[in-house]
Amino acid sequence: MKAKANEKCRIVIKIGSNVLGRKDGSLDITRMSALVDQIVELRRAGHEIILVSSGAVASGKSIMKPKNKLDLVSARQLYSAIGQVRLINQYYTLFGHYNIICGQILATKEDFGTRRHYLNQRNCMSVMIENGIIPIVNENDTISVNELMFTDNDELSGLVATMMNCRKLIILSNIDGIYNGNPSDNQSKVITEINTKKDNIEEFIQTSKSSSGRGGMQTKYNIARKIAEEGIEVIIANGKKDNILPDLFNKPETVCTRFIPSAKSTSTVKKWIAHSESFAKGEIHINDGAKEALISNKAVSLLPVGITKVVGTFEADDIVKIIDESGTQIGVGRTTFDNEAVSKLIGQNKSKPVIHYDYLYIDK
Ligand SMILES: Nc1ncnc2c1ncn2[C@@H]1O[C@H](COP(=O)(O)OP(=O)(O)O)[C@@H](O)[C@H]1O
Ligand SMILES: N[C@@H](CCC(=O)OP(=O)(O)O)C(=O)O
């Protein structure tokens, strides 16, 4: 990893379920304790840490057997409710040995959907960090079910990293990084560096995942690409390896996959918008001229003169998708007006922007 040992920064560390679980499904307290020791070492080196930890469901499963056979949703709700208490209790005790306080944040996808929730959440984590507390984040699995769920905690860790303006996101799994083939094949090697502008390694990603993992390598790759393009360095490394976290900083030969961060800096509002696509309430269709202007590198807002059609019902300030003449989505933005007002403005050129440049995110 390129970071220098003395380069202090704010980091999100995401720990996957399988890192914290033993083969029999029980919580691997020894591993957890070792990771806490390593996090403390990074803190002592001056880094600010936000932890995103999976493991509630896996931990709950080893606590009790339900009386009757449960459907998948009920089982996940039951296991996460009891497992999260155990998980956070363990972290609290382990950090407590160092006189460090940790605090729990349970997030749902909805918390990233409205700007107000987003800012409340950001404020909560900021005040914790300012007071030396380690925020420990997990999805609120008890109420996040079906379409309300994050793809997995990799997605959540990416959202937290952008929301908190972090320099790095370290994703710890049970594997050394992304392999250039099937990881179980002796010929396959870890891809040590990925430049998202040039390298497309999608073909190497298998659908396989660990016994307790949710999204597999595909979500890690998708998230890592997007986050690196927003200027945050992303590292995928093996959380089961002893001393992995300090080694990533101090030993450049440590095996991992590193996504080179883009040099461009994106405003936090634009970052929020970039990750808000799944909350879009409607669509604004635009003509080729407007598309050309929006995809140029200039700071251009979307004006009604380039709009051809409005689809869906939305309010002012909602997130909408921007669709080109071929029906392809080219970006997302926060609309200044509701759908009826935008429909009335179509074709006009003397109006406030329908989507201001500051609230516009174009896929490039
Ligand atoms: N090209 C690849 N390189 C590395 N791992 C891969 C690749 N393709 C698929 N995988 C799988 O992805 C798994 C990690 O994802 P996942 O099980 O979701 O972990 P976690 O619980 O840490 O989020 C690996 O254990 C491996 O089986
Ligand atoms: N929120 C769940 C973890 C879901 C998840 O994304 O797991 P993983 O793919 O192991 O990071 C839990 O705590 O069990």
Side-chain angles (χ1 to χ4, degrees):
M1 189 162 103
K2 292 275 158 55
K4 292 183 202 81
N6 59 1
E7 188 193 338
K8 299 182 177 82
C9 57
R10 183 176 286 181
I11 310 164
V12 170
I13 298 172
K14 185 260 169 173
I15 306 182
S17 312
N18 54 61
V19 177
L20 298 180
R22 289 209 173 86
K23 284 211 177 81
D24 64 0
S26 62
L27 203 57
D28 185 346
I29 310 289
T30 317
R31 178 60 49 202
M32 222 174 151
S33 171
L35 284 164
V36 166
D37 294 348
Q38 296 172 45
I39 291 168
V40 172
E41 195 176 326
L42 295 190
R43 251 174 73 109
R44 287 187 176 150
H47 303 294
E48 287 176 344
I49 310 289
I50 300 170
L51 194 57
V52 175
S53 180
S54 301
V57 174
S59 150
K61 269 187 196 160
S62 61
I63 296 177
M64 56 113 38
K65 291 261 164 301
K67 288 187 187 138
N68 302 310
K69 194 169 167 17
L70 295 177
D71 61 83
L72 282 177
V73 171
S74 306
R76 199 170 143 262
Q77 288 179 308
L78 175 68
Y79 292 139
S80 64
I82 54 174
Q84 180 64 24
V85 180
R86 186 169 186 209
L87 188 72
I88 203 74
N89 188 27
Q90 201 63 51
Y91 276 122
Y92 197 83
T93 307
L94 291 168
F95 280 115
H97 292 147
Y98 290 98
N99 289 324
I100 293 173
I101 306 171
C102 60
Q104 169 177 270
I105 294 177
L106 295 177
T108 63
K109 210 168 177 181
E110 294 285 286
D111 298 329
F112 290 87
T114 65
R115 184 87 183 136
R116 190 176 319 153
H117 271 199
Y118 184 85
L119 293 177
N120 286 346
Q121 205 167 198
R122 192 170 74 182
N123 187 57
C124 176
M125 285 189 209
S126 302
V127 76
M128 288 171 91
I129 292 169
E130 276 162 28
N131 284 283
I133 313 291
I134 299 195
I136 304 186
V137 189
N138 193 1
E139 177 166 14
N140 190 346
D141 300 293
T142 59
I143 55 166
S144 305
V145 294
N146 303 329
E147 72 286 351
L148 297 177
M149 283 159 70
F150 295 104
T151 318
D152 61 12
N153 268 347
D154 299 315
E155 183 186 12
L156 174 58
S157 65
L159 288 164
V160 172
T162 47
M163 178 174 79
M164 297 309 293
N165 237 341
C166 292
R167 188 92 64 79
K168 287 183 211 301
L169 165 63
I170 301 177
I171 299 180
L172 295 180
S173 187
N174 62 343
I175 199 143
D176 284 352
I178 305 186
Y179 281 79
N180 62 359
N182 192 328
S184 52
D185 182 346
N186 284 342
Q187 307 291 313
S188 307
K189 296 226 160 26
V190 171
I191 304 167
T192 53
E193 206 159 69
I194 295 177
N195 179 341
T196 59
K197 297 244 170 352
K198 293 196 307 214
D199 309 325
N200 186 346
I201 56 123
E202 203 116 5
E203 58 175 306
F204 299 129
I205 309 225
Q206 328 280 310
T207 48
S208 64
K209 49 187 159 204
S210 59
S211 51
S212 42
R214 198 151 92 196
M217 194 49 81
Q218 188 66 51
T219 39
K220 288 188 213 323
Y221 177 61
N222 293 344
I223 295 295
R225 269 186 84 92
K226 195 162 185 179
I227 300 297
E229 277 162 16
E230 286 166 23
I232 299 171
E233 181 185 27
V234 184
I235 288 135
I236 300 177
N238 195 336
K240 292 243 183 223
K241 270 194 176 163
D242 290 343
N243 216 42
I244 184 71
L245 289 169
D247 284 354
L248 286 171
F249 285 81
N250 303 326
K251 294 189 180 158
E253 69 278 15
T254 306
V255 182
C256 66
T257 299
R258 172 178 178 267
F259 289 73
I260 302 173
S262 144
K264 81 169 182 212
S265 76
T266 314
S267 77
T268 52
V269 171
K270 274 189 184 281
K271 282 179 187 166
W272 169 63
I273 286 171
H275 290 275
S276 298
E277 187 188 319
S278 55
F279 309 108
K281 298 279 192 314
E283 296 175 357
I284 291 185
H285 291 242
I286 60 169
N287 62 27
D288 282 343
K291 176 179 172 180
E292 208 175 300
L294 294 185
I295 62 175
S296 72
N297 282 330
K298 298 192 190 111
V300 176
S301 300
L302 177 62
L303 301 172
V305 66
I307 297 176
T308 54
K309 189 169 76 170
V310 174
V311 177
T313 309
F314 48 84
E315 301 291 322
D317 293 340
D318 276 347
I319 300 292
V320 290
K321 294 181 182 174
I322 302 164
I323 311 288
D324 72 9
E325 283 187 14
S326 70
T328 307
Q329 182 184 331
I330 63 155
V332 272
R334 191 170 90 167
T335 163
T336 317
F337 309 105
D338 65 25
N339 59 299
E340 284 180 11
V342 180
S343 296
K344 283 187 192 137
L345 288 169
I346 286 178
Q348 292 185 25
N349 56 10
K350 281 190 185 144
S351 147
K352 272 183 21 186
V354 171
I355 300 175
H356 190 276
Y357 172 74
D358 289 344
Y359 300 104
L360 182 68
Y361 181 85
I362 302 294
D363 302 314
K364 283 186 186 157

